Amino acid sequence: MGALCRELGNPNNKGESKDTCSHSIFDVDRKNETKEKLRKTLDEAKVEARILFVCMDSNLFRDFLLMASDLNMINGEYVFVYLDIFRLMRKDMNLISWYKKGVSEAENDKARRAFETVLILAVKRPDTERYQEFSHQVNALRNRTNTSGTSMAELVNPYVATFYDAVLLYAYGLNRTIESNQNYRDGFSVVRKMWNLSFE
């Protein structure tokens, strides 16, 4: 979030710079302190902001929106952008939901209305045949090297696959740099060889 604020704070093409962004970072604790910090953040944001970028645990985000509703921030004046970086760590890989088992219908209805103000940004769950084949190959390798005796057959987490793609892309740039007799220790040269390259 800090990087986003720095970028928004950079001067525009006219040389003007505005303090248009602020951010709050705090650790999640097991006490009620987290909810108090969230409420304080919302109190400040209500005065200063109209668009809120949020990155936190999905259960905590639901509570955050319920607090926003209590502060009358679910009235169309505010937009919440939720960065769901944890989606692929959940077993079902589903998007976050307003619905929660074991709470009143009134609370779920309040949460549903609050979620109508949210834009969720999340990594797409891969569903291509190539990805399934990639997962099969990774699982086959893992099963050959797995000493626990348990067989694994699941889709590879897309974050892990992204690291795999990053290594392939770097190797491609490095090889092209060496082939063109440039210094492979020059990171800028390697990166330039990776520009405008796409692969599935």
Side-chain angles (χ1 to χ4, degrees):
M1 298 305 270
L4 179 62
C5 284
R6 278 191 302 278
E7 186 61 31
L8 289 173
N10 283 342
N12 62 21
N13 57 4
K14 296 177 185 174
E16 299 168 340
S17 180
K18 294 182 180 177
D19 187 17
T20 57
C21 184
S22 64
H23 66 290
S24 300
I25 299 173
F26 46 85
D27 294 326
V28 174
D29 55 37
R30 301 292 171 226
K31 304 172 198 162
N32 281 336
E33 290 175 21
T34 297
K35 290 188 179 180
E36 290 169 20
K37 291 174 187 174
L38 289 177
R39 183 168 291 278
K40 183 175 182 243
T41 299
L42 278 170
D43 283 335
E44 292 171 3
K46 186 173 183 179
V47 176
E48 299 177 9
R50 291 297 175 262
I51 301 172
L52 290 86
F53 286 85
V54 184
C55 181
M56 65 176 66
D57 174 76
S58 57
N59 293 320
L60 195 57
F61 181 63
R62 185 181 183 279
D63 292 341
F64 184 75
L65 283 180
L66 290 173
M67 285 181 219
S69 180
D70 291 341
L71 293 170
N72 197 28
M73 294 177 74
I74 310 297
N75 58 8
E77 285 187 49
Y78 302 88
V79 174
F80 297 86
V81 180
Y82 181 69
L83 308 173
D84 193 0
I85 63 171
F86 303 106
R87 174 187 182 197
L88 300 173
M89 295 175 190
R90 293 192 287 273
K91 288 194 183 235
D92 59 8
M93 287 196 203
N94 288 332
L95 291 172
I96 61 171
S97 174
W98 53 267
Y99 181 79
K100 186 176 182 179
K101 287 182 184 177
V103 299
S104 69
E105 188 176 327
E107 182 181 311
N108 273 329
D109 190 52
K110 181 178 173 182
R112 181 191 55 75
R113 285 192 311 276
F115 266 77
E116 290 174 359
T117 66
V118 178
L119 171 64
I120 300 173
L121 301 178
V123 175
K124 181 181 182 293
R125 185 171 153 177
D127 56 4
T128 63
E129 284 184 33
R130 282 191 72 171
Y131 197 81
Q132 296 212 0
E133 177 58 28
F134 170 75
S135 292
H136 176 71
Q137 290 172 0
V138 169
N139 284 318
L141 177 62
R142 186 172 22 179
N143 288 333
R144 279 199 308 269
T145 59
N146 183 9
T147 57
S148 69
T150 58
S151 177
M152 300 178 201
E154 57 191 35
L155 278 180
V156 172
N157 184 309
Y159 289 126
V160 175
T162 301
F163 285 118
Y164 176 84
D165 288 347
V167 170
L168 280 181
L169 184 59
Y170 173 74
Y172 180 84
L174 184 64
N175 285 336
R176 287 187 60 201
T177 302
I178 292 169
E179 287 169 4
S180 62
N181 293 321
Q182 291 179 295
N183 183 358
Y184 62 88
R185 291 188 178 122
D186 178 3
F188 290 110
S189 293
V190 175
V191 169
R192 275 190 217 96
K193 301 294 184 190
M194 295 159 53
W195 288 355
N196 299 320
L197 177 69
S198 62
F199 60 91
E200 186 176 334

